[in-house]
Amino acid sequence: MMSPARLSVGSLAVGLLVLLLKVLAWQMTGSVALFSDALESIVNLVTAGAAFAAIRVAARPADRSHPWGHQKAEYLAAVLEGALIVFAALLILREAAGVLLSGAERALEAPWFGLAINGAATAINLVWARILLRGGRAAGSAALVADGHHLMADVMTSFGVALGIVLAGLSGIWLLDPLLAIAVAINVLWSGWIVIRASLPGLMDAALPPEEQAAIRAEIAEVGGGAAQAHDLRTRSDGRVTFIDFHLIVPGDMRVDAAHAICDRIEARLRASRPNASVTIHVEPEHKAKDADAPGDVVLIDPAAPPGS
């Protein structure tokens, strides 16, 4: 599996090749629908550049200015990508509306050859979109996953454009061309909204899904022997890094080194299934314990239980 950095470079190369092919198909046919497809490829290239820059920034280690790391750069790039997708859709709508309002209807030039070139570009996009989605999910890269979803939406758009031009060529109703471009724009708008919506939780520090939080609580209870309870669990994810922090209640007379050993055990267990996890544990004496039914995700631990492994 390629690294996020190499995938982002690959996206730039693929985006440039696909753009050149789609511009050629548009110039050969004069189709507004193919113009809209080429315009979306321009956005693909710009967003691939944004993803490349974001991944380089996100890979930087934490420093004094950014003690929690730079991972949010990928979410910012994904939101930018969504905004650019919406902008492309508005440009497509403007072009298609201009053709419709002019009332002019003309046959396309060399539609079948143009479609063949556009089809080759679509096939390249389909293969690369699947590579991006698989690699982005494996690496926890929000920017790459957003790029993959955008390319997959572009593939569906291209299939729709091709089908519409085939119908127009067979029926001779060339008005279908600008109408199809409008349909493409609506689909592009929807894909832009999906990309933006998927990135907002990361920017807003949303908690991990309930099932993941339940797994974390179970792991704390499993290896927390010697402590009494854990509470006030807080979680969030910044792409590749999962942040976990909570309070751990230990007997008031426990030695510091013994409490530290329990924390080490819990951290090791949590990181075993989340290699990039950042775990923060605040140790408190037993009088800070909460009632079992109190809010704050109380995790009960048997103090006499043997240490987990």
Side-chain angles (χ1 to χ4, degrees):
M1 183 65 65
M2 286 189 287
S3 68
R6 289 186 176 182
L7 285 171
S8 64
V9 172
S11 286
L12 285 170
V14 169
L16 181 59
L17 174 61
V18 168
L19 173 61
L20 293 175
L21 290 174
K22 289 191 175 183
V23 168
L24 178 61
W26 161 56
Q27 289 185 336
M28 291 183 61
T29 62
S31 165
V32 180
L34 287 180
F35 166 78
S36 69
D37 211 7
L39 185 62
E40 190 175 2
S41 290
I42 295 176
V43 176
N44 288 348
L45 188 59
V46 173
T47 54
F52 173 74
I55 287 169
R56 287 175 64 87
V57 172
R60 294 175 184 171
D63 54 32
R64 183 171 296 180
S65 299
H66 300 84
W68 300 107
H70 300 78
Q71 295 84 9
K72 273 191 168 57
E74 292 203 29
Y75 291 107
L76 290 172
V79 171
L80 172 63
E81 179 170 345
L84 289 173
I85 294 171
V86 171
F87 179 66
L90 296 177
L91 290 181
I92 295 169
L93 283 173
R94 178 186 175 185
E95 184 72 17
V99 173
L100 283 176
L101 293 175
S102 70
E105 183 175 352
R106 61 181 179 83
L108 304 182
E109 302 174 11
W112 309 120
F113 194 39
L115 278 179
I117 295 175
N118 205 66
T122 301
I124 293 171
N125 262 348
L126 176 61
V127 172
W128 191 248
R130 293 173 67 88
I131 292 174
L132 279 181
L133 288 172
R134 184 170 63 250
R137 286 167 180 157
S141 171
L144 289 179
V145 171
D147 208 11
H149 280 303
H150 182 198
L151 284 186
M152 196 59 77
D154 191 21
V155 168
M156 299 306 296
T157 294
S158 298
F159 277 129
V161 166
L163 178 60
I165 292 178
V166 168
L167 293 176
L170 294 176
S171 66
I173 305 175
W174 297 105
L175 192 63
L176 287 173
D177 184 42
L179 291 175
L180 183 62
I182 292 175
V184 167
I186 294 173
N187 180 66
V188 171
L189 276 172
W190 176 250
S191 103
W193 162 242
I194 292 296
V195 170
I196 293 173
R197 185 180 65 180
S199 306
L200 290 178
L203 284 176
M204 297 299 294
D205 288 335
L208 295 180
E211 59 273 16
E212 181 65 15
Q213 294 187 53
I216 290 172
R217 290 195 292 271
E219 291 170 13
I220 293 172
E222 176 187 345
V223 298
Q229 71 168 228
H231 60 247
D232 290 345
L233 173 68
R234 298 190 302 174
T235 62
R236 65 184 177 94
S237 176
D238 270 354
R240 304 182 198 94
V241 181
T242 298
F243 292 91
I244 305 168
D245 71 75
F246 57 91
H247 296 187
L248 184 71
I249 301 299
V250 300
D253 58 354
M254 178 175 283
R255 289 172 53 92
V256 172
D257 56 352
H260 191 271
I262 297 173
C263 292
D264 283 347
R265 226 169 37 234
I266 294 175
E267 288 180 23
R269 179 66 180 87
L270 293 175
R271 287 176 178 152
S273 51
R274 303 163 195 84
N276 293 321
S278 174
V279 183
T280 302
I281 304 175
H282 179 63
V283 176
E284 295 183 326
E286 50 199 349
H287 72 270
K288 293 284 190 177
K290 291 187 175 182
D291 294 335
D293 57 352
D297 297 324
V298 173
V299 179
L300 296 179
I301 304 172
D302 182 1
S309 60

